[in-house]
Amino acid sequence: MRHQYHPLGFEGSRIAQGFWRCHEWEMSVSERLDFIMSCLDLGVTTFDHADIYGDYRCEGLFGEALAKKPAMRDKMEIVTKCGILLPSESRPDISVHRYDYRAKHIHESVDRSLANLQCDYIDTLLLHRPSPLMDADEVAQAFDLLFTLGKVKHFGVSNFTPAQFDLLQSRLDAPLIVNQIELSPLSLAPFEDGTLDHLQQHAVTPMAWSPLAGGELFRGNGDRVVRVKEVVSDIAKSMGVNFDQVVIAWLLRHPSGICPVMGSGKIERLASVCQAANIVLSDDDWFKIWITSQGHPVP
């Protein structure tokens, strides 16, 4: 008998909170707990991790806080990633920065993540980067066992092309429900290379990492960045909203259902961004940002 997977796709919050920089936030355990609880109060219930974040430390920092109030686990969706081997003082067993999607490594990574996060299951496990040595059949077997054991509920990928996505999906009974990709007004490739069209076709949720272009939209001074900043600022001023709200609203406006992953450890920044869900950009304003970033009119 084949295992029965949940028929629904991604059921996380419209905006996710990322923890890839939480080791830089210099928060105590109680401050981390307060931050997570405040996220939940804002309706941000999806928390994004990876085993390697913060030199393999960030999952553990989150887990320390979660352990102080484990009842929170039922109110959140935890996303984490595996597959990157990163040489580190904390991982002397890793000598080369590379990828590993052997079943053994996937299982070991999930067990470490569960121990670090101090929880019993992962809502969605993503393969962090595509590997030229990925054996889709072996990955499928690993996923199937992880689901059967109750360690992972859903699966997805990150930074996969449509062809790489389809290869893995062809071996799976369960639908891949997420592809986490770089998306922002300065990262337009997925809009143009078929990635978002492919995800929309298959009802897969795009999660956007670096939706504010890794801070480049605030700090950058190149010609393209300056052009985009000016047009976003003009739109924000005309609508009486904040700059970052316009950027996030621009992503939310896309019909593929993009879920931006925010990275700030300041709850007031997240609270501001959450208001972007109430902002609907006109087609004119959406295309102003698009055209400005491309540097030429639409054909």
Side-chain angles (χ1 to χ4, degrees), residues 123-136:
D123 290 279
T124 306
L125 176 69
L126 310 183
L127 302 186
H128 205 156
R129 292 271 179 183
S131 170
L133 294 180
M134 183 186 75
D135 183 331

Side-chain angles (χ1 to χ4, degrees), residues 16-270:
Q17 174 62 38
F19 282 80
W20 69 88
R21 292 177 180 161
C22 75
H23 63 298
E24 301 174 357
W25 297 347
E26 299 183 348
M27 291 181 181
S28 66
V29 178
S30 61
E31 287 171 334
R32 269 176 267 140
L33 174 60
D34 288 343
F35 179 79
I36 294 168
M37 292 174 63
S38 296
C39 290
L40 294 173
D41 288 342
L42 288 171
V44 176
T45 59
T46 299
F47 299 107
D48 182 71
H49 298 271
D51 55 355
I52 63 168
Y53 285 166
D55 194 25
Y56 297 93
R57 290 178 290 164
C58 288
E59 285 182 328
L61 294 173
F62 185 91
E64 286 178 350
L66 181 57
K68 295 293 183 181
K69 194 170 183 179
M72 290 191 304
R73 179 65 185 94
D74 294 336
K75 301 177 181 179
M76 62 178 64
E77 305 85 38
I78 292 179
V79 178
T80 196
K81 312 174 197 71
C82 71
I84 297 178
L85 298 184
L86 192 65
S88 163
E89 290 184 4
S90 62
R91 291 295 305 274
D93 55 313
I94 299 173
S95 59
V96 178
H97 183 185
R98 60 182 178 87
Y99 310 127
D100 189 347
Y101 289 128
R102 294 172 300 162
K104 179 177 183 291
H105 178 71
I106 293 173
H107 283 289
E108 290 174 348
S109 294
V110 167
D111 286 343
R112 277 194 297 268
S113 289
L114 289 173
N116 290 333
L117 293 164
Q118 300 197 44
C119 60
D120 297 327
Y121 66 93
I122 293 165
D123 290 279
T124 306
L125 176 69
L126 310 183
L127 302 186
H128 205 156
R129 292 271 179 183
S131 170
L133 294 180
M134 183 186 75
D135 183 331
D137 291 302
E138 184 172 0
V139 172
Q141 291 172 4
F143 281 5
D144 198 47
L145 182 55
L146 288 168
F147 177 82
T148 301
L149 294 173
K151 294 181 178 181
V152 180
K153 289 187 174 183
H154 302 285
F155 301 91
V157 295
S158 183
N159 304 297
F160 272 47
T161 67
Q164 292 162 342
F165 184 102
D166 286 343
L167 168 61
L168 181 56
Q169 184 63 81
S170 72
R171 304 301 201 272
L172 297 171
D173 291 329
L176 297 168
I177 66 168
V178 163
N179 190 1
Q180 189 172 128
I181 52 181
E182 184 177 11
L183 284 172
S184 77
L186 299 180
S187 298
L188 302 181
F191 293 92
E192 303 171 308
D193 63 11
T195 298
L196 287 177
D197 302 315
H198 174 266
L199 297 179
Q200 196 171 348
Q201 177 186 355
H202 295 284
V204 177
T205 296
M207 294 184 76
W209 60 268
S210 288
L212 297 174
E216 186 72 6
L217 283 169
F218 300 101
R219 300 185 300 269
N221 55 15
D223 290 345
R224 182 188 181 206
V225 176
V226 170
R227 293 198 313 267
V228 172
K229 284 199 291 188
E230 287 178 352
V231 73
V232 170
S233 295
D234 288 345
I235 293 170
K237 183 177 180 180
S238 68
M239 298 183 72
V241 299
N242 297 335
F243 182 95
D244 54 353
Q245 291 174 333
V246 172
V247 175
I248 299 305
W250 187 81
L251 292 171
L252 297 179
R253 177 71 171 75
H254 194 269
S256 62
I258 295 167
C259 172
V261 181
M262 309 311 300
S264 174
K266 297 179 179 180
I267 198 65
E268 60 271 17
R269 290 285 305 277
L270 182 62

